[in-house]
Amino acid sequence: QVQLVESGGNSVQAGGSLRPSCEASGTYQRIFDINIMEWHRQLPGRPRELVAKITRTGVSHYGDSVKGRLIISRDNARNAWYLQMNSLKPEDSGVYSCKADVETGYRYDEADWFDFWGRGTQVTVSS
């Protein structure tokens, strides 16, 4: 099984910054590769939306509502990725979850690709 664990969510005032992180690890199964690493968020009363994603080679894509304020990055050696969040607004408050496309298995010749999600971390921005 592969687990994605987020950390770094917190409460900040408007205009502040946060840097949530997500780290993937395997229990019994090994992680051989991670392709797309993503951050999603669910704001109160809204459906979950894609915030940012980054490919294995570092090409990134952002949702329109966060362009220019958030930066996604990754550390392939640690199977980790990050979301630098700047100029936060109260309307950014919600649960931020990570997702990844992971190649995993007990052995490489038995490995396959699966999508995994983290449980989410709360971001609260006060005015």
Side-chain angles (χ1 to χ4, degrees):
Q1 183 68 307
V2 171
Q3 296 83 37
L4 271 57
V5 179
E6 301 97 338
S7 61
N10 212 328
S11 297
V12 295
Q13 291 191 327
S17 298
L18 285 173
R19 189 175 183 256
S21 62
C22 182
E23 189 160 345
S25 62
T27 303
Y28 304 116
Q29 290 180 262
R30 295 177 59 188
I31 294 175
F32 295 101
D33 197 5
I34 301 179
N35 187 11
I36 308 294
M37 295 175 168
E38 302 178 8
W39 283 100
H40 295 248
R41 70 181 182 183
Q42 184 156 25
L43 309 181
R46 304 276 297 276
R48 187 164 54 190
E49 62 174 340
L50 174 67
V51 173
K53 60 182 178 182
I54 186 168
T55 69
R56 187 191 297 109
T57 57
V59 177
S60 57
H61 169 83
Y62 298 92
D64 289 339
S65 62
V66 301
K67 280 182 180 177
R69 297 189 298 120
L70 274 58
I71 301 172
I72 188 171
S73 60
R74 63 189 283 166
D75 183 340
N76 291 330
R78 294 188 58 197
N79 290 331
W81 55 112
Y82 312 92
L83 188 65
Q84 179 66 45
M85 307 169 69
N86 301 319
S87 303
L88 283 164
K89 306 174 183 179
E91 52 264 42
D92 291 318
S93 299
V95 177
Y96 286 71
S97 303
C98 57
K99 174 180 177 282
D101 183 25
V102 181
E103 184 180 28
T104 181
Y106 295 101
R107 299 182 338 203
Y108 182 72
D109 58 350
E110 297 177 338
D112 204 346
W113 291 89
F114 300 92
D115 286 340
F116 294 94
W117 286 86
R119 291 188 175 184
T121 186
Q122 177 69 42
V123 170
T124 302
V125 185
S126 58
S127 57

